[in-house]
Amino acid sequence: ECVHQTPQPVSLPPNPTPAELAAAAQQQQQNFISIDPTTGAGFTINNPGEAHPLRPYWEYLSYLFRKLPVLGSDEQLEADYRDYLQAPLQPLQDNLESATYEVFEKDTIKYVQYEEAVYRALCDRKACNGGKASPVVLMVVGAGRGPLVSASMRASARSQVPLRVYAVEKNANAVVHIQALLRREGWQDKVTIVTADMRTWQAPEPADILVSELLGSFGDNELSPECLDGAQRFLGPQGISIPANYTSFMAPVSCHKLWNDVKAYNDREHFETPYVAKFHRHYVLAPTQEMFSFSHPNRATPIDNNRHKRVVYTRPVELGSAIMHGFAGYFESELYKGVWLSTHPPTHTPNMSSWFPIYFPLKEPIYVPAGASVEASMWRCSGAHKVWYEWTVTAPSASPIHNVCGRSYFVGL
C-alpha cells in the first residue's frame, strides 16, 4: 500500500552515511516512513543492539525520521481527511449544513485574500472618481453565513469608501447567522439581506462589484461559471466580478489507497465520479497541465461553458516506470488584479485549507513504462439540467471514456 511507483531499487551501502544516499532516494525512504499522519510513522523501527550487523541501517533510518518536518496546526486539522474520498458539493441542489460552513470559515487566509481584492477594487474606484469616495454597490451572491460580508466591510473601512451591500443567500438557516452578524456589528443600515436564489432574484439597482465564493476543487466543478453568468445581469456597465477569472490544472497520479477505496464499491458509477481528496500516499507522475479557463463578467455571445482539452505529459526515462490510477486536479483564481487563490502546487496560497484537490479515477490502473508519455482528454459538458465531466487516457494504453453523457455523475443545475 506504500509503494506508489516502480523505480530502480534503492539499497543502502555498508555503514551508510547521509551523504551516501541521493536526495531523491532519501525522500523516497522518508515517504515510506511518514505514513500515519497522526504519529508521523507507519511502522516501528526497533533498535537491533550495538553489535547487530543492521545497527548502521537502523541509525540511518533514525536519521531520516528525525529529518521529517513537524506537522503544523493546519496539517494536523487536515490529518483525518488524508486519502479519504469525499463527494463534491451540489451547491444549487443542496443547502450546506452548518458544520460545512464552519469548516470553510476556519480558513482565514481565504477571507484575507477576498478582503484585499475588495480593498483594491474600492481604491481603484476611488481613484477613478478623482479621489472622491462615492458609495459603491456591492452584492455578495451566495453569502453563506456572512464571512464575505465581513471581509467586504473591513475593506470598506480600510479604503474609506462607503458600501451598500446586498447579501444574497437562499439557505434560510444561514441567513439567521447573517442577521446576528449585522446586529453584532451594527451594519443593519449598510447591509440588506436577500433570502432568495440568485438565479431568480431581481436586483433593485445595478451593482458595481459582484463578490462570490462558488469555486470548487477544480475551479469550475461547483457551477461557478453557470451561476456567475446568470448573476452578471446584476452588474452595471462598468461592474466587476470577484473572482475575475480561474483556471484548472491536472496531473496524472499514482494513488493506490484512493483507487482501492473506489474499487471497494464494486460498481461502474464510483469509478466515473470525481472525488475531493487530500492526497497523502500518492505520487504525481508529471507536472500539471492547464485545462479549463473562465473569466467574469463573461461578455461572449452566446455564452458557451463547454470545454475540451487534450494534454500530453512527458516523463524522463530516469524517473522509471509507474502505475497510474487517475488524475489530480487543482485550480488558480485571480480575485482582482494580482490577488490570487490557488490550490495549484507551484503557486499554492500559503496556509489556505478551504479546498483539497479533486481526484478523477480510472477504471483500471495503467502501467506507464520508463520514458513513456501519458496522453489524456477531458471534456466539460452541459445539458439543460446538469453539468458533467468525461475523461479518458489514450497513451501509453487506451482507457474507455469515463462518465459518458453524465451517466454516473453530474452537478445539477
Side-chain angles (χ1 to χ4, degrees):
E1 193 172 75
C2 309
V3 180
H4 318 303
Q5 55 175 330
T6 54
Q8 296 300 316
V10 176
S11 59
L12 295 175
N15 301 315
T17 64
E20 289 179 306
L21 201 57
Q26 290 188 41
Q27 182 61 55
Q28 181 185 358
Q29 296 297 323
Q30 286 180 307
N31 288 342
F32 292 155
I33 293 174
S34 59
I35 294 171
D36 189 326
T38 56
T39 66
F43 51 87
T44 301
I45 307 175
N46 294 316
N47 186 344
E50 292 289 340
H52 198 285
L54 294 179
R55 171 75 184 196
Y57 299 91
W58 174 84
E59 290 179 347
Y60 191 84
L61 290 174
S62 297
Y63 159 75
L64 293 179
F65 180 84
R66 290 193 299 272
K67 285 181 62 179
L68 291 173
V70 178
L71 292 181
S73 57
D74 290 337
E75 290 176 310
Q76 291 175 2
L77 289 173
E78 296 171 1
D80 291 340
Y81 297 98
R82 288 180 173 178
D83 289 335
Y84 177 76
L85 298 172
Q86 302 177 70
L89 298 175
Q90 294 272 0
L92 294 187
Q93 290 187 329
D94 304 326
N95 285 331
L96 299 185
E97 297 179 354
S98 183
T100 304
Y101 285 120
E102 289 178 5
V103 171
F104 292 157
E105 292 164 10
K106 287 179 181 177
D107 188 359
T108 57
I109 299 300
K110 174 177 65 175
Y111 297 112
V112 168
Q113 294 298 92
Y114 267 100
E115 178 185 336
E116 181 63 22
V118 175
Y119 169 74
R120 294 189 186 186
L122 293 177
C123 289
D124 285 350
R125 293 268 166 178
K126 187 176 180 179
C128 290
N129 202 26
K132 183 180 178 181
S134 301
V136 170
V137 177
L138 182 146
M139 295 180 182
V140 180
V141 290
R145 304 200 310 182
L148 287 182
V149 173
S150 297
S152 299
M153 293 304 292
R154 290 193 299 268
S156 173
R158 286 173 57 195
S159 62
Q160 298 184 339
V161 175
L163 288 180
R164 286 200 305 276
V165 177
Y166 292 86
V168 185
E169 175 55 52
K170 66 182 177 65
N171 187 345
N173 294 324
V175 167
V176 173
H177 290 269
I178 304 178
Q179 292 170 339
L181 171 67
L182 301 191
R183 289 193 298 268
R184 185 169 63 251
E185 300 292 343
W187 292 337
Q188 295 95 325
D189 60 335
K190 299 177 181 178
V191 179
T192 300
I193 300 174
V194 180
T195 308
D197 191 316
M198 72 179 77
R199 294 172 293 177
T200 58
W201 178 59
Q202 299 300 317
E205 60 180 323
D208 300 304
I209 303 175
L210 190 67
V211 182
S212 65
E213 53 173 331
L214 303 170
L215 298 171
S217 293
F218 203 47
D220 57 83
N221 64 296
E222 293 183 9
L223 303 183
S224 181
E226 287 72 21
C227 290
L228 292 182
D229 289 346
Q232 71 183 25
R233 69 184 188 278
F234 303 146
L235 287 172
Q238 303 301 317
I240 64 167
S241 171
I242 297 176
N245 59 71
Y246 38 92
T247 300
S248 55
F249 297 82
M250 193 171 75
V253 65
S254 178
C255 50
H256 187 274
K257 167 67 166 59
L258 287 173
W259 186 86
N260 273 284
D261 286 349
V262 177
K263 182 183 178 182
Y265 288 102
N266 197 32
D267 61 21
R268 181 183 69 187
E269 177 182 345
H270 286 83
F271 273 117
E272 297 189 334
T273 297
Y275 298 91
V276 174
K278 175 64 175 176
F279 286 93
H280 182 53
R281 283 170 275 188
H282 76 294
Y283 171 67
V284 177
L285 276 62
T288 57
Q289 298 254 14
E290 183 176 317
M291 298 302 290
F292 308 139
S293 295
F294 298 87
S295 298
H296 302 285
N298 186 353
R299 305 300 187 190
T301 304
I303 291 177
D304 183 6
N305 290 323
N306 293 329
R307 298 287 190 273
H308 168 248
K309 188 69 176 287
R310 176 182 174 272
V311 289
V312 178
Y313 302 93
T314 57
R315 304 186 73 247
V317 174
E318 56 267 23
L319 289 181
S321 57
I323 300 296
M324 181 171 62
H325 296 102
F327 298 93
Y330 315 90
F331 77 88
E332 292 177 350
S333 174
E334 186 176 24
L335 298 180
Y336 181 81
K337 290 186 178 179
V339 182
W340 292 83
L341 292 175
S342 175
T343 66
H344 187 208
T347 60
H348 195 288
T349 303
N351 302 317
M352 187 180 70
S353 58
S354 279
W355 294 276
F356 293 154
I358 198 166
Y359 170 49
F360 294 93
L362 295 175
K363 291 180 181 177
E364 296 293 338
I366 291 179
Y367 173 70
V368 182
S373 296
V374 174
E375 299 179 11
S377 289
M378 176 170 279
W379 296 262
R380 185 185 195 271
C381 310
S382 59
H385 303 291
K386 64 181 184 180
V387 172
W388 69 95
Y389 298 97
E390 300 177 11
W391 62 97
T392 188
V393 175
T394 54
S397 58
S399 76
I401 297 177
H402 294 63
N403 198 34
V404 175
C405 296
R407 63 188 175 189
S408 297
Y409 172 83
F410 61 85
V411 187
L413 289 168

